[in-house]
Amino acid sequence: GDGVVSSFRSICGEDGVSLGDAVREQHGKDESVHRCRPPDVVVFPRCVEEVSALAKVCHKHRLPIIPFGTGTGLEGGVGAVKGGVCFSLRNMDQVLDLHPEDFDVTVEPGVTRKVLNAYLRDTGLWFPVDPGADASLCGMAATSASGTNAVRYGTMRENVINLEVVLADGSIVHTAGKGRRPRKTSAGYNLTNLFVGSEGTLGIITKTTLRLYGIPEATVSAVCSFPSVQAAVDSTVQTLQAGVPIARIEFLDDVMIDACNRFSSLSYPVTPTLFLEFHGSERSLEEQVTTAEDIAQSNGGSDFQWARDTETRNRLWKARHDAWYAAQALRPGCKAYSTDVCVPLSRLPQIIVETKEDLIENRLTGPIAGHVGDGNFHCLMVVDPSDLEEMHRVHLFTERLARRALAVDGTCTGEHGVGLGKRALLCEEMGPVGIQVMQSLKDTLDPNNLMNPGKILQREEL
């Protein structure tokens, strides 16, 4: 132990290494229900060279390596299940190489989504992927995050151009070639997207080059109430089929809208509801909105309630992003836990209706909110962590929900990742050959199973 710690100190300085209980605790948990698993030591590298040098020490001494961004993950991805070394990357916080004319920028892991957008403010550009939390952009790449804007702008998979990654043995790879940032490529295996969504199990992402977008000339949001889940989802599907380039289309069920009304002091009707947002020029907005409104009305939707000015719009989306807290407030003293499945659009009404029936039948509180334009929705489960019987019922419910998604050709996670809790479900989703291919990649890049061990794959200990 001591020799290793002094090696770490010689690499990233006295204050770059922490053995303190509080710091270790803080780096052993995320926003999920998985219990805290603190690492043995936390290191705070300042540059990729230090990350590489630290990784070499870990490799030599066979110490597990767990990358840590902001700790806002939802699947227990940062827990040190086998102890080891947490690499906290917050001190690497530079925005590098902004090319406004090429719509790209490179950032280090300490740069969060909000920090980047504040930095970009005067350029007329923004980075739209928005998981709600002010997450680290490299962490978002690691979990293949998305969020409310993905229906228009895509997820991290579509928006990462290149990554700099430190591998298990300390070597540094640039997934698209060093410094390269073409808009597209067909050169070789897609290493970039191998690491997007790898959750720290294949390497530590130390830089990500991202696609940027022009800030829309005009933005308008609206709220529309529907008589049923089916009507709201049918409207969503038809709006997309009509080619409306909608920027956000969020579904909230009656339980969720009621919780949001109370928590955010709103007064929307307590029925299935869509929050919509349109981006474009003044003229294109008019067209988009007319089409969407006609479709909503033909499905029994209410007139749109408009949010045109920035303040009203921000209040609306803050209410949506605060859904987690609103759900939690339904039962004070309880903890919210967000599930996350994704299915083909046509299967969405059926799975939401079945899920609501399941919740009622099993006496569970689980308001539903979803990025329905992607077929992705969440039950915000509100549970009393000290009630083991209820925790068990929630666990069984989330398994049923995931299997229901798999049964209609969907996925067990649309955006949170696999982490600890969905490893068995991943096996069902991929099948044995798919899992074997993943395991072979893992074994090749990380033969000693040092990179965030125990996540994604249930490796049988050799």
Side-chain angles (χ1 to χ4, degrees), residues 174-177 184-194:
H174 296 87
T175 58
K184 64 182 189 184
T185 172
S186 60
Y189 300 150
N190 188 342
L191 294 184
T192 301
N193 273 315
L194 175 59

Side-chain angles (χ1 to χ4, degrees), residues 270-342:
V270 180
T271 72
T273 301
L274 292 178
F275 284 12
L276 309 96
E277 188 164 275
F278 304 89
H279 293 175
S281 64
E282 295 289 358
R283 274 185 60 190
S284 84
L285 279 197
E286 230 165 280
E287 195 183 340
Q288 289 181 45
V289 163
T290 310
T291 309
E293 235 177 338
D294 289 349
I295 289 169
Q297 274 160 5
S298 72
N299 285 290
S302 67
D303 288 342
F304 281 14
Q305 290 192 41
W306 293 106
R308 292 179 195 278
D309 59 288
T310 312
E311 196 183 332
T312 319
R313 241 182 25 243
N314 287 349
R315 197 159 62 239
L316 174 67
W317 292 107
K318 185 171 182 348
R320 168 62 187 90
H321 281 318
D322 285 347
W324 171 284
Y325 304 107
Q328 209 157 299
L330 291 172
R331 291 176 64 189
C334 285
K335 176 126 173 70
Y337 159 56
S338 178
T339 66
D340 154 51
V341 296
C342 190

Side-chain angles (χ1 to χ4, degrees), residues 381-418:
M381 304 305 300
V382 191
V383 288
D384 175 358
S386 65
D387 181 343
L388 296 179
E389 191 273 331
E390 186 186 26
M391 288 294 282
H392 185 61
R393 274 186 298 143
V394 166
H395 176 70
L396 294 177
F397 164 79
T398 56
E399 301 257 293
R400 284 194 301 276
L401 173 57
R403 294 202 167 99
R404 211 175 278 136
L406 294 180
V408 296
D409 310 329
T411 173
C412 67
T413 173
E415 53 185 19
H416 295 170
V418 174

Side-chain angles (χ1 to χ4, degrees), residues 95-99 104-106 119 181 207 209:
V95 176
L96 309 159
D97 301 323
L98 168 63
H99 299 104
D104 69 59
V105 68
T106 300
Y119 181 93
R181 46 190 184 86
K207 289 190 186 73
T209 301

